[in-house]
Amino acid sequence: YDVVVIDEIQMISDVTRGAAWTKALLGLRCKEIHVCGGSEAQTIVKKLADSCGDDFELKEYERFSPLLLASKSMADDPTKAGCYRHVQPGDCVVA
């Protein structure tokens, strides 16, 4: 591949799931890897890149709008079809 994107890279430091994220990151065969997620992963990802002899470049971005948690579920009943009909443009659904 030319480019691979891995999201939620902060999971690499998780005690129970971090090994799977490390394996996924180190097992990629591509020209460029973009990782997205919490800044707490920066040290680990940089160390991995350095140990592999790869370049590391950090880019930080500001959110266009704040990420807010809804006070209740957008789904009337998440087990039924059409349950997310209240989702609006700009909403983020985390499943």
Side-chain angles (χ1 to χ4, degrees):
Y1 299 101
D2 288 328
V3 177
V4 172
V5 178
I6 296 181
D7 196 9
E8 301 296 338
I9 194 61
Q10 71 275 5
M11 296 303 296
I12 202 165
S13 63
D14 185 81
V15 175
T16 56
R17 296 178 280 181
W21 288 90
T22 302
K23 184 177 178 182
L25 182 60
L26 292 176
L28 293 171
R29 295 186 184 267
C30 58
K31 296 176 184 177
E32 192 171 315
I33 301 169
H34 293 234
V35 294
C36 308
S39 60
E40 62 270 21
Q42 177 184 345
T43 303
I44 295 171
V45 174
K46 182 170 181 356
K47 284 181 182 179
L48 287 171
D50 290 346
S51 69
C52 292
D54 292 327
D55 295 331
F56 176 85
E57 180 182 349
L58 176 66
K59 292 189 179 187
E60 296 181 278
Y61 302 93
E62 295 290 325
R63 287 190 184 277
F64 292 131
S65 60
L67 184 60
L68 303 172
L69 183 63
S71 60
K72 63 180 186 133
S73 175
M74 298 175 105
D76 295 325
D77 182 346
T79 64
K80 294 186 179 174
C83 63
Y84 290 102
R85 68 178 177 271
H86 303 296
V87 174
Q88 299 293 313
D91 289 345
C92 174
V93 177
V94 179

